[in-house]
Amino acid sequence: MKLVFATHNENKFAEVKVLMPSHIQLVSLTDIGCTEDIPETGSTLKANAQIKADYVTEKFNLSCFADDTGLLVNALNDAPGVYSARYAGEQKSAEDNMNKLLMALKGQSDRKARFSTVIALNLNDERYSFEGTVEGEIVHQKKGAGGFGYDPIFRPDGYDKTFAELPLETKNKIGHRGKAILLLIRFLENSKSR
Ligand code: IMP
């Protein structure tokens, strides 16, 4: 069965493709000739993921899933949340975003935060969603060179290193996206027998 992963991020696509059950033929937006940047106009992670999945299903008449991720900071009433990519402006710079967040938390003792990934799946005219989260805290200064986005300032609970200092295997195992993808994969494996 053909299933579209609605992402333009080739690294994300490659990571997920190897995990798919054998009855799923995973194809990318490039594979189906979708070059446009699908607008993320929703006010929640779930709404944005659904908008992206619906765009592909409606325009190309294909089963599809899409993901959306945000960093939710306790002391900032869960900001930047759905606006994580553009927190410091339309340039979507990870450095600018981290600097702005560190400034916003200056002098703040409550540094609790969590990453959340929501996946929306449109499969055979039905809609499903899956969520993965990881709890942690925002450290006082950037540490580590791995990962991307806010990884250098996020330390997951139970570890003394940031996501940017931890091996990718660890991040995938305990992280938000890895958990959401695992739920999706389990569901797809079971869907074969339905
Ligand atoms: P997206 O939904 O994957 O586009 O992610 C939205 C924003 O959240 C990105 O621009 C990143 O800055 C941030 N982000 C997403 N996933 C991660 C992650 O695993 N680590 C750190 N930051 C992330």
Side-chain angles (χ1 to χ4, degrees):
M1 188 198 65
K2 196 185 259 192
L3 180 65
V4 182
F5 179 12
T7 181
H8 288 298
N9 183 330
E10 296 299 327
N11 292 326
K12 244 196 222 180
F13 182 81
E15 267 179 36
V16 173
K17 190 176 169 78
V18 295
L19 301 172
M20 281 291 137
S22 56
H23 73 287
I24 301 287
Q25 183 202 348
L26 196 69
V27 294
S28 69
L29 289 177
T30 312
D31 293 332
I32 60 166
C34 178
T35 49
E36 49 268 54
D37 212 3
I38 304 167
E40 297 183 16
T41 50
S43 56
T44 62
L45 298 173
K46 188 173 174 184
N48 272 342
Q50 193 64 61
I51 286 168
K52 288 185 271 187
D54 285 352
Y55 183 93
V56 172
T57 297
E58 281 158 23
K59 189 160 177 192
F60 296 87
N61 195 24
L62 288 167
S63 289
C64 175
F65 71 89
D67 70 332
D68 202 39
T69 295
L71 177 61
L72 295 82
V73 179
N74 204 40
L76 303 177
N77 295 321
D78 287 349
V82 71
Y83 306 108
S84 294
R86 296 173 171 79
Y87 183 48
E90 282 302 319
Q91 72 279 18
K92 295 194 199 170
S93 153
E95 282 301 309
D96 293 352
N97 287 341
M98 286 190 288
N99 290 339
K100 181 172 175 181
L101 187 53
L102 289 175
M103 280 304 288
L105 289 181
K106 212 168 179 184
Q108 176 61 252
S109 57
D110 175 8
R111 310 201 53 106
K112 279 201 206 92
R114 69 183 189 282
F115 273 115
S116 174
T117 292
V118 177
I119 293 175
L121 169 69
N122 292 340
L123 182 70
N124 305 330
D125 297 328
E126 297 284 347
R127 283 167 153 186
Y128 307 91
S129 69
F130 309 90
E131 184 177 11
T133 59
V134 57
E135 304 280 341
E137 68 167 32
I138 304 300
V139 297
H140 289 267
Q141 55 193 33
K142 295 169 210 158
K143 284 184 203 156
F148 67 98
Y150 295 89
D151 280 347
I153 59 169
F154 183 85
R155 184 189 62 71
D157 285 351
Y159 293 79
D160 60 3
K161 290 184 162 67
T162 67
F163 265 161
E165 297 175 295
L166 288 167
L168 184 60
E169 304 83 74
T170 308
K171 184 184 167 190
N172 283 343
K173 202 166 101 193
I174 65 166
H176 44 300
R177 191 173 303 97
K179 287 179 184 166
I181 292 283
L182 194 65
L183 292 175
L184 169 72
I185 287 167
R186 284 203 190 124
F187 177 85
L188 291 171
E189 279 166 353
N190 292 334
S191 73
K192 195 184 176 187
S193 51
R194 254 179 243 146

